[in-house]
Amino acid sequence: MSELLALAGANLLSPMVLCFVLGAVAAAIRSDLEIPEAIAKGLAIYLMLAIGMKGGLAMAKSDGANVLPSIAMALALSFALPLLAYAILRGIRALGSVDAAAVAAHYGSVSIVTFVTAVEFLNGRGVAFDGVLVAMMAAMETPAIVTGLLLARRALGPGTQPQRSRARQSHLLREVLANGSIVVLVGGFAIGWAVGPSGMEKVKPFIFDIYNGMLCLFLLDMGLVAMRQMRSVDDLGLRLVGFGLVMPPLNAAIGFAAARALGFDVGSTALLATLCASASYIAVPAAMRLALPQARPAIYVTLSLGVTFPFNVAIGIPLYLSIAQWLARSP
Amino acid sequence: MSELLALAGANLLSPMVLCFVLGAVAAAIRSDLEIPEAIAKGLAIYLMLAIGMKGGLAMAKSDGANVLPSIAMALALSFALPLLAYAILRGIRALGSVDAAAVAAHYGSVSIVTFVTAVEFLNGRGVAFDGVLVAMMAAMETPAIVTGLLLARRALGPGTQPQRSRARQSHLLREVLANGSIVVLVGGFAIGWAVGPSGMEKVKPFIFDIYNGMLCLFLLDMGLVAMRQMRSVDDLGLRLVGFGLVMPPLNAAIGFAAARALGFDVGSTALLATLCASASYIAVPAAMRLALPQARPAIYVTLSLGVTFPFNVAIGIPLYLSIAQWLARSP
Amino acid sequence: MSELLALAGANLLSPMVLCFVLGAVAAAIRSDLEIPEAIAKGLAIYLMLAIGMKGGLAMAKSDGANVLPSIAMALALSFALPLLAYAILRGIRALGSVDAAAVAAHYGSVSIVTFVTAVEFLNGRGVAFDGVLVAMMAAMETPAIVTGLLLARRALGPGTQPQRSRARQSHLLREVLANGSIVVLVGGFAIGWAVGPSGMEKVKPFIFDIYNGMLCLFLLDMGLVAMRQMRSVDDLGLRLVGFGLVMPPLNAAIGFAAARALGFDVGSTALLATLCASASYIAVPAAMRLALPQARPAIYVTLSLGVTFPFNVAIGIPLYLSIAQWLARSP
Amino acid sequence: MTVHRRKKIEIVVEAAMLADVVEWLTEHGVKGYTTVPKVSGFGRQGRRQAEDPARVFENVLVIAIAGEETARRILAESVERLRDYAAIVYLSDVEVARPDHF
Amino acid sequence: MTVHRRKKIEIVVEAAMLADVVEWLTEHGVKGYTTVPKVSGFGRQGRRQAEDPARVFENVLVIAIAGEETARRILAESVERLRDYAAIVYLSDVEVARPDHF
Amino acid sequence: MTVHRRKKIEIVVEAAMLADVVEWLTEHGVKGYTTVPKVSGFGRQGRRQAEDPARVFENVLVIAIAGEETARRILAESVERLRDYAAIVYLSDVEVARPDHF
Ligand SMILES: Nc1ncnc2c1ncn2[C@@H]1O[C@H](COP(=O)(O)O)[C@@H](O)[C@H]1O
Ligand SMILES: Nc1ncnc2c1ncn2[C@@H]1O[C@H](COP(=O)(O)O)[C@@H](O)[C@H]1O
Ligand SMILES: Nc1ncnc2c1ncn2[C@@H]1O[C@H](COP(=O)(O)O)[C@@H](O)[C@H]1O
Ligand code: NA
Ligand code: NA
Ligand code: NA
């Protein structure tokens, strides 16, 4: 426990995490501070590209034996995790079935920013991890959406759902399969793998050296966004907020089991737990808004961005690493 | 004098200042060159964060004995400086009392970009300065607004001013107290102080190495903006333009006295004079527009951005450094 | 030939060109990936400034004897090249005379991004070139517009053209003479020249070190934009697409002759050929839309951006370098 | 000059529905439309603020000039069609000079 | 389908006043409004160009559909209320299908 | 309060023509205008999507409130003036409170 606190304390002394705190404070005192949307999107694309390239470079250096089983596991997790979230939400009577299905999809998918923060946390403590985790993150983003929609369809019954027009359907498919973040992430991964160490040397100052600084700016924005979203948390009610805090460790537990099955090292285990614990707040909301307009965005965005995201950044990530280290010591 | 010219000449040979000149030339020949607003804002946030962190890091290395008196002095200066500007404007019958109050508020506050340019100028000549100047800049931004509003209230008399609605009042308060630039600057300062040299090492390539280059882009934009604003200068009339050129050295003189009282070194003296001499053109206009709609923005924005800002960048900063060096030599 | 393929293969293994491919793939699978317009413009300004400064720095190190004849040649080429394009378009009966004149103007002018990609390609193979090429690029951007408008005026006959209002005419003149990209490029060139190696040292990390990485992001966007534009290529018809593929090598041939007349080295020869071969897709469309509204942007933007630009990036640039190397070996 | 009466249809709708609304207008045979992006607002569904990360809270304003009958049919259908979405629809009278365009 | 007549209130006003105008409309009981940001223009106060650094020269366009009486009251009050600001207000007739929304 | 009738002129036009349209409106003596940037649309000239690199496919929406006669003259002239460009023009009735402003 004291080890955990020390870890969390050390975490808070990195400029990156402090920038997140700064953003949150700025929003809390209702500052008019605003990162222009274009800058935030530009930073996100940079981070996706850099993290993809780094993962690909790591793969180029390793033997790559565990790629296929890892990705199969990621797909299975993303398909399955929404079922647990849905069962809990219905069990505690927190939401109707359509809203529950929408929320469940968010928790089966992943938050890329949470992953990036966890990677930075591991780097800061010198904990290594496998490049395949980047590919697993990409694989986990979308299957949960399918499960969520199937759950909702069952609830709505046949015929209740408005007929999808062609434009809307094709839009949804694109959202889900060719999501911009995933394309950049996977593309960066492939590039890093293909060009290898000598090719990556050419972009080292941009991709490696200034990475932490770019992350500072991005986390400043995330602090702002998360805290502003937290203002709406009161409207959720106690039961839902409790769900948003309890679901991450539960999903992380499933992640630990999966990591053990794959024979992962400490760092990879912590990252897989983080992926399972995190909830999407960009890709899945966009998909739900198109495919399931009856579900309320005020609920699913606030839960994932206003409750679960800050919980994971402040408490979850150090916790998952502690557990991964403890698991590695116990046979 | 020849020393001053040599200094000014050297100043003009840095890529940063030449980028400012380039922006001004582009605007003068009516080029359609435009830095997107989002980029300009992103650059400003980067510069605030970097300059805050650098100041905090400098504080972490020093003993910090002079922090409190310095900040108290900064607050006092910002409260008091508008009185002189107001008296002059009324004395030369350049403006009515409401417009004069609004303009006075701008000259009591500070221009962050002018400060950044001065810091870069000192760095280029190897002149050191105290990290506390960054905190002083933050402290000087808002008190002048209060003085300006009090001056205007006296002029308008009781009851004349339209009742402030709740939304507008709280908006103004936020503008003034939780201004985004100040939050980032002070936050960066706190972070730099807290994480110290070892923590800052992680973001060195972003915060230190590429800083001058980012400044190039930002000053390119400022050159454009300032020159485009200068086009409206003709409408001001001779008396006001004269005010915009004479006020900076007058306020700088007060800054020299304050610096001597605080026992500042050469670099810190030059910077405090620069802060006093500079006029706000972002935070104060935004506050005035809400709190004092009767005052004309075409006057106060043009004066601070179109007259005083270019004067300080081209002539003021080298002048204030020369004087600070001369003062240091004379007992 | 095998040498050419090897070159093209090596080209494809740089992260920069792979980012272009990634953007094209993302657009091809209809991903919603989008680089915000402000970021794209910011990157473009950065690249112009950096490439200008690098060219100026190279000039500062060389003797500069060939500057005037080179620029005179550049102006002459840009004036003359549209005549060939126009003759071909009319000869193959691909377009009416107004559309043909508009398209011809694009092929006489240059694509800055194609030039930047070529420079990066040369750097990757260690091939040197003369700084004056940057000045030649700037000189080639606008004369072709004048030729295109004269061709169109002849076709429209006197009086047919709507009277230009003052606002529109001055707008056009500004577009053409004080185009933002050119101002930054030429300004950066002048700055690099003026401050020399010691001055440029201050901005080295920003201008040199992270340049390749910034180029990655920019080419990612260009891949997206070009591939999205290629979707409209079907509407062009076979004859026009053929024109868009044959015109670049034809113009490149003229570039080789000009390079020989100027006594250029291998790298400069390849770059001049690239300039001649490339077609404008930003400056000229904007000018044509104002001055020649009867011409159809769907044709000229699709041809230059959707056909010629990707051809030059994938095939043209390695081809022109091979030829330049072959020419250097044959007396 | 003779002027011709047409109806202006204005629709404020969540950005995610833009493609759908445009398809629907086109099915009704409008000859053109104009869209204003990044619009914010307030209505039954509460505050909707453009430029959120997921663009889930962004509105767009769609304007179409069309004949009276087309406009009335679109207004009538909108009740059912946009029921689940943040959206409003309203018509007004406009005068145009070139009747063939609309 | 029966259509219902309402008034459209349109206000072009300097961006700094947006929060204030919205509060004022709400006090009058409008059930919703729409705002278009980054609008430029020209009027008695001269040229106002969006995207200046201090956002002092940016306008917004506010649209609200409301009942006739509400609209007239807002128009009448606007004279006094927006006297010192860059602003214009105008009303027009619109038809809507769902009367309870406005 | 007495209200005064004016005409609202709305013009959707390609961005490249903005300076020209504004000059033209001013020649007709309008006392003000408002411009909304980055507007997209569809019309006879096909799809026009704002934010393309060359800004060749961007529209703007220009709004001017003016007297009836001015508005009719502008509408009449628009046919000739904007023939070669992507553009539409339409008028509608509005009510204002301060007749001297428009
Ligand atoms: N009375 C109104 N006047 C103007 N705009 C409205 C009004 N009601 C709603 N809106 C706009 O329509 C969007 C959707 O409305 P709603 O479906 O009622 O939430 C809102 O976000 C507003 O932008
Ligand atoms: N006659 C008009 N038609 C359209 N918009 C106008 C008109 N007059 C003023 N405006 C808009 O309202 C803003 C404020 O007007 P003013 O208070 O007259 O400066 C201007 O910047 C324009 O955007
Ligand atoms: N019927 C219409 N309703 C609304 N906007 C239109 C209509 N027709 C054209 N527009 C707009 O006017 C622009 C130019 O139209 P056009 O010249 O017909 O291509 C289009 O890009 C649309 O933004
Ligand atoms: Na998850
Ligand atoms: Na000052
Ligand atoms: Na060319």
Side-chain angles (χ1 to χ4, degrees):
Chain A
M1 189 62 203
S2 75
E3 194 180 334
L4 172 60
L5 279 179
L7 261 180
N11 193 17
L12 285 179
L13 269 185
S14 106
M16 289 66 90
V17 173
L18 283 179
C19 279
F20 181 86
V21 174
L22 174 57
V25 169
I29 63 173
R30 302 193 176 233
S31 164
D32 65 349
L33 178 61
E34 220 177 309
I35 313 286
E37 197 204 359
I39 298 292
K41 279 191 183 166
L43 287 169
I45 291 172
Y46 165 81
L47 291 175
M48 291 306 92
L49 191 67
I51 213 160
M53 284 181 168
K54 288 172 177 193
L57 183 59
M59 284 301 295
K61 292 177 181 166
S62 82
D63 61 354
N66 59 349
V67 175
L68 286 186
S70 298
I71 287 180
M73 178 65 90
L75 293 171
L77 283 169
S78 181
F79 271 119
L81 289 176
L83 298 173
L84 176 59
Y86 183 80
I88 293 178
L89 283 166
R90 297 296 289 153
I92 62 173
R93 291 169 203 278
L95 286 177
S97 49
V98 172
D99 282 325
V103 169
H106 290 72
Y107 282 83
S109 182
V110 296
S111 150
I112 304 181
V113 180
T114 309
F115 180 78
V116 170
T117 314
V119 165
E120 154 51 26
F121 184 67
L122 296 188
N123 285 341
R125 337 243 90 61
V127 180
F129 60 89
D130 198 315
V132 80
L133 263 294
V134 173
M136 292 181 78
M137 169 166 67
M140 285 181 75
E141 189 164 58
T142 52
I145 296 172
V146 177
T147 307
L149 290 183
L150 291 177
L151 287 170
R153 189 151 307 171
R154 226 191 38 163
L156 286 168
T160 349
Q161 215 180 355
Q163 266 184 296
R164 300 277 147 256
S165 70
R166 255 170 312 124
R168 207 186 310 166
Q169 276 199 337
S170 83
H171 190 168
L172 176 62
L173 223 72
R174 268 206 308 287
E175 274 303 329
V176 170
L177 292 181
N179 176 285
S181 309
I182 292 298
V183 168
V184 172
L185 190 75
V186 173
F189 191 89
I191 293 174
W193 200 347
V195 305
S198 74
M200 286 301 292
E201 191 60 33
K202 293 185 203 166
V203 291
K204 180 181 165 297
F206 188 67
I207 296 296
F208 289 81
D209 297 353
I210 68 171
Y211 179 86
N212 279 339
M214 300 284 261
L215 192 54
C216 280
L217 277 191
F218 188 67
L219 287 178
L220 179 65
D221 187 45
M222 289 318 307
L224 279 169
V225 169
M227 180 57 91
R228 283 183 182 148
Q229 198 64 47
M230 279 176 70
R231 291 229 192 90
S232 325
V233 165
D234 286 350
D235 305 344
L236 287 181
L238 222 65
R239 242 180 292 197
L240 275 179
V241 173
F243 168 84
L245 298 173
V246 168
M247 201 66 234
L250 285 183
N251 274 350
I254 299 177
F256 287 121
R260 171 146 295 197
L262 291 165
F264 273 5
D265 59 22
V266 170
S268 307
T269 300
L271 283 185
L272 182 54
T274 302
L275 285 177
C276 290
S278 73
S280 167
Y281 57 83
I282 294 185
V284 181
M288 285 300 132
R289 202 58 207 127
L290 281 172
L292 210 57
Q294 302 90 342
R296 288 167 286 169
I299 290 180
Y300 50 70
V301 173
T302 306
L303 256 184
S304 62
L305 185 54
V307 180
T308 294
F309 174 64
F311 169 82
N312 276 327
V313 168
I315 301 175
I317 293 174
L319 177 68
Y320 311 143
L321 176 57
S322 292
I323 297 179
Q325 288 170 327
W326 178 83
L327 286 174
R329 283 192 303 264
S330 54
Chain B
M1 190 62 204
S2 76
E3 194 179 330
L4 172 61
L5 279 179
L7 262 179
N11 194 17
L12 284 177
L13 269 185
S14 107
M16 289 66 90
V17 173
L18 283 179
C19 279
F20 180 86
V21 174
L22 173 57
V25 169
I29 63 173
R30 303 195 173 232
S31 166
D32 65 349
L33 178 60
E34 221 177 309
I35 314 286
E37 197 204 359
I39 298 292
K41 281 192 181 163
L43 287 169
I45 291 172
Y46 165 82
L47 292 175
M48 291 305 92
L49 191 68
I51 213 159
M53 285 180 166
K54 289 172 175 191
L57 183 58
M59 284 300 296
K61 292 177 182 166
S62 82
D63 60 355
N66 58 350
V67 175
L68 287 187
S70 298
I71 288 180
M73 177 66 90
L75 294 171
L77 282 169
S78 180
F79 271 120
L81 289 177
L83 298 174
L84 176 59
Y86 183 80
I88 293 179
L89 283 167
R90 297 294 290 153
I92 63 172
R93 291 169 201 277
L95 287 177
S97 50
V98 172
D99 282 324
V103 169
H106 290 72
Y107 283 82
S109 181
V110 296
S111 150
I112 304 182
V113 181
T114 309
F115 180 78
V116 169
T117 313
V119 164
E120 154 51 26
F121 184 67
L122 295 188
N123 285 340
R125 339 242 91 60
V127 179
F129 60 89
D130 197 316
V132 79
L133 263 295
V134 173
M136 292 182 78
M137 168 166 69
M140 285 182 75
E141 189 165 57
T142 52
I145 297 172
V146 177
T147 308
L149 290 184
L150 291 177
L151 286 170
R153 189 152 306 171
R154 226 190 38 161
L156 285 168
T160 350
Q161 216 181 355
Q163 265 184 297
R164 299 278 149 253
S165 69
R166 253 172 313 125
R168 207 187 308 167
Q169 275 198 336
S170 84
H171 191 169
L172 176 62
L173 223 73
R174 268 206 306 288
E175 275 304 329
V176 169
L177 292 181
N179 176 284
S181 308
I182 292 298
V183 167
V184 171
L185 190 75
V186 171
F189 192 88
I191 293 176
W193 200 347
V195 305
S198 74
M200 286 301 292
E201 190 59 35
K202 293 185 203 164
V203 292
K204 179 180 166 298
F206 188 68
I207 297 294
F208 290 81
D209 297 354
I210 68 172
Y211 179 87
N212 279 340
M214 300 284 260
L215 191 54
C216 279
L217 277 191
F218 187 67
L219 287 179
L220 179 64
D221 186 44
M222 289 317 308
L224 279 170
V225 170
M227 180 58 91
R228 284 185 182 147
Q229 198 64 47
M230 280 177 69
R231 290 229 193 90
S232 324
V233 165
D234 285 350
D235 306 344
L236 287 181
L238 222 65
R239 245 183 287 198
L240 276 178
V241 173
F243 169 85
L245 297 173
V246 168
M247 201 67 235
L250 285 183
N251 274 350
I254 299 178
F256 286 122
R260 171 147 294 199
L262 291 165
F264 273 4
D265 58 22
V266 169
S268 306
T269 300
L271 283 185
L272 182 54
T274 302
L275 285 177
C276 291
S278 75
S280 167
Y281 57 83
I282 295 185
V284 180
M288 285 300 132
R289 204 55 207 128
L290 282 172
L292 209 57
Q294 301 90 342
R296 287 168 286 170
I299 291 179
Y300 50 69
V301 173
T302 307
L303 256 185
S304 62
L305 186 55
V307 180
T308 295
F309 173 65
F311 169 82
N312 275 326
V313 167
I315 301 175
I317 293 174
L319 177 68
Y320 311 143
L321 176 57
S322 292
I323 296 179
Q325 288 170 328
W326 178 83
L327 286 174
R329 283 193 302 265
S330 53
Chain C
M1 189 63 203
S2 75
E3 193 180 333
L4 172 61
L5 278 178
L7 262 180
N11 193 17
L12 285 177
L13 269 184
S14 106
M16 288 67 90
V17 173
L18 283 178
C19 279
F20 181 85
V21 173
L22 174 57
V25 169
I29 63 173
R30 301 192 175 233
S31 165
D32 65 350
L33 178 60
E34 221 176 308
I35 313 286
E37 198 204 357
I39 298 291
K41 280 191 184 165
L43 287 169
I45 291 171
Y46 165 82
L47 292 175
M48 291 307 92
L49 191 66
I51 214 159
M53 284 181 168
K54 289 171 176 193
L57 183 59
M59 285 300 296
K61 292 177 182 166
S62 83
D63 61 355
N66 58 351
V67 175
L68 286 188
S70 298
I71 288 180
M73 177 67 89
L75 294 170
L77 282 169
S78 181
F79 271 120
L81 290 176
L83 298 174
L84 176 59
Y86 183 82
I88 294 179
L89 283 166
R90 297 295 290 153
I92 63 172
R93 291 167 202 278
L95 287 177
S97 51
V98 172
D99 283 325
V103 168
H106 290 72
Y107 282 82
S109 181
V110 297
S111 150
I112 303 182
V113 180
T114 309
F115 180 78
V116 169
T117 313
V119 164
E120 153 52 27
F121 183 68
L122 296 188
N123 285 341
R125 336 245 90 60
V127 179
F129 60 90
D130 197 315
V132 79
L133 263 295
V134 173
M136 291 181 78
M137 169 166 67
M140 285 181 76
E141 191 165 57
T142 51
I145 297 173
V146 177
T147 308
L149 291 183
L150 291 177
L151 287 169
R153 190 150 305 171
R154 226 190 38 161
L156 286 168
T160 350
Q161 215 179 354
Q163 266 183 297
R164 299 277 148 255
S165 69
R166 253 172 313 125
R168 206 186 309 166
Q169 275 197 338
S170 84
H171 190 168
L172 177 62
L173 223 73
R174 269 207 306 288
E175 274 304 329
V176 169
L177 291 181
N179 176 286
S181 310
I182 292 299
V183 168
V184 171
L185 191 75
V186 172
F189 192 90
I191 293 175
W193 200 347
V195 305
S198 73
M200 286 301 292
E201 191 58 36
K202 295 186 201 162
V203 291
K204 180 180 166 297
F206 188 68
I207 296 295
F208 290 81
D209 297 355
I210 68 172
Y211 178 87
N212 279 340
M214 300 283 261
L215 191 55
C216 279
L217 277 191
F218 187 68
L219 286 179
L220 179 65
D221 186 45
M222 288 319 308
L224 279 169
V225 170
M227 181 57 92
R228 283 183 184 147
Q229 198 64 49
M230 280 177 71
R231 290 228 194 90
S232 323
V233 164
D234 285 352
D235 306 344
L236 287 181
L238 222 64
R239 244 181 290 196
L240 276 179
V241 174
F243 169 83
L245 298 172
V246 168
M247 200 66 235
L250 285 183
N251 275 350
I254 299 177
F256 287 121
R260 171 147 294 198
L262 291 164
F264 274 3
D265 59 21
V266 170
S268 306
T269 299
L271 284 185
L272 182 55
T274 302
L275 284 177
C276 292
S278 74
S280 167
Y281 57 83
I282 294 185
V284 180
M288 284 300 132
R289 203 56 206 128
L290 281 172
L292 210 57
Q294 303 89 341
R296 287 167 288 171
I299 290 179
Y300 49 69
V301 174
T302 306
L303 256 185
S304 61
L305 186 55
V307 179
T308 294
F309 174 65
F311 169 82
N312 276 326
V313 168
I315 300 173
I317 294 173
L319 177 67
Y320 310 143
L321 176 57
S322 293
I323 296 178
Q325 290 171 327
W326 179 83
L327 286 174
R329 282 192 303 265
S330 54
Chain D
M1 181 195 56
T2 41
V3 298
H4 305 264
R5 298 188 72 79
R6 289 288 181 278
K7 284 280 178 191
K8 173 162 71 159
I9 307 145
E10 282 172 284
I11 305 175
V12 178
V13 63
E14 52 186 290
M17 284 295 289
L18 179 57
D20 206 55
V21 164
V22 159
E23 187 187 330
W24 168 50
L25 292 178
T26 310
E27 280 166 11
H28 278 285
V30 305
K31 292 196 189 151
Y33 57 83
T34 294
T35 61
V36 182
K38 294 189 187 159
V39 162
S40 301
F42 180 86
R44 286 157 305 133
Q45 321 228 359
R47 181 103 191 85
R48 297 184 45 78
Q49 178 67 52
E51 317 230 349
D52 64 308
R55 293 190 60 182
V56 156
F57 295 110
E58 177 181 330
N59 290 342
V60 288
L61 167 63
V62 182
I63 304 169
I65 313 293
E68 163 128 27
E69 256 184 51
T70 309
R72 295 223 173 277
R73 262 187 288 124
I74 289 169
L75 183 62
E77 271 188 25
S78 72
V79 179
E80 191 53 35
R81 179 130 201 154
L82 298 173
R83 184 190 303 290
D84 290 327
Y85 295 91
I88 60 167
V89 183
Y90 50 91
L91 306 185
S92 55
D93 294 314
V94 297
E95 293 163 308
V96 301
R98 301 181 300 181
D100 49 308
H101 284 184
F102 302 97
Chain E
M1 182 195 55
T2 40
V3 297
H4 306 264
R5 299 187 71 79
R6 290 288 181 278
K7 283 280 177 190
K8 172 162 70 160
I9 307 143
E10 282 172 284
I11 305 175
V12 178
V13 63
E14 52 187 288
M17 284 295 290
L18 179 56
D20 205 54
V21 164
V22 159
E23 188 188 330
W24 167 50
L25 292 178
T26 310
E27 280 165 10
H28 277 286
V30 304
K31 292 197 188 152
Y33 56 84
T34 294
T35 62
V36 182
K38 293 188 188 161
V39 163
S40 301
F42 179 86
R44 288 155 304 133
Q45 321 229 358
R47 180 105 192 83
R48 296 184 48 78
Q49 178 69 51
E51 318 227 350
D52 64 308
R55 294 189 60 183
V56 156
F57 295 110
E58 179 180 330
N59 290 342
V60 288
L61 167 62
V62 182
I63 304 169
I65 313 294
E68 164 128 27
E69 257 184 51
T70 308
R72 295 223 172 278
R73 261 187 289 123
I74 289 169
L75 183 62
E77 272 189 24
S78 72
V79 179
E80 192 52 35
R81 179 131 202 153
L82 299 173
R83 185 189 303 288
D84 289 328
Y85 296 92
I88 60 168
V89 183
Y90 51 91
L91 307 185
S92 55
D93 294 313
V94 298
E95 293 164 309
V96 302
R98 302 182 298 181
D100 49 309
H101 284 182
F102 303 97
Chain F
M1 181 196 57
T2 41
V3 297
H4 305 264
R5 299 187 70 79
R6 290 287 180 280
K7 283 282 176 188
K8 172 161 72 160
I9 307 145
E10 282 171 285
I11 305 174
V12 178
V13 64
E14 47 184 322
M17 285 294 289
L18 179 56
D20 205 54
V21 165
V22 159
E23 187 189 329
W24 168 49
L25 292 179
T26 310
E27 280 166 10
H28 277 284
V30 306
K31 292 198 191 151
Y33 57 83
T34 294
T35 61
V36 182
K38 293 186 189 161
V39 163
S40 301
F42 180 85
R44 286 157 305 132
Q45 320 229 359
R47 181 102 193 85
R48 297 185 44 80
Q49 178 68 54
E51 318 228 351
D52 63 308
R55 294 190 60 183
V56 156
F57 295 110
E58 179 181 330
N59 290 342
V60 288
L61 168 61
V62 182
I63 304 169
I65 314 293
E68 164 128 25
E69 254 184 55
T70 309
R72 294 221 174 279
R73 261 186 289 123
I74 290 170
L75 182 62
E77 272 187 24
S78 72
V79 178
E80 192 53 35
R81 180 131 201 153
L82 299 173
R83 185 191 301 291
D84 288 328
Y85 295 92
I88 60 168
V89 183
Y90 51 92
L91 306 186
S92 56
D93 294 313
V94 297
E95 293 163 309
V96 301
R98 302 181 297 182
D100 49 309
H101 284 183
F102 302 97

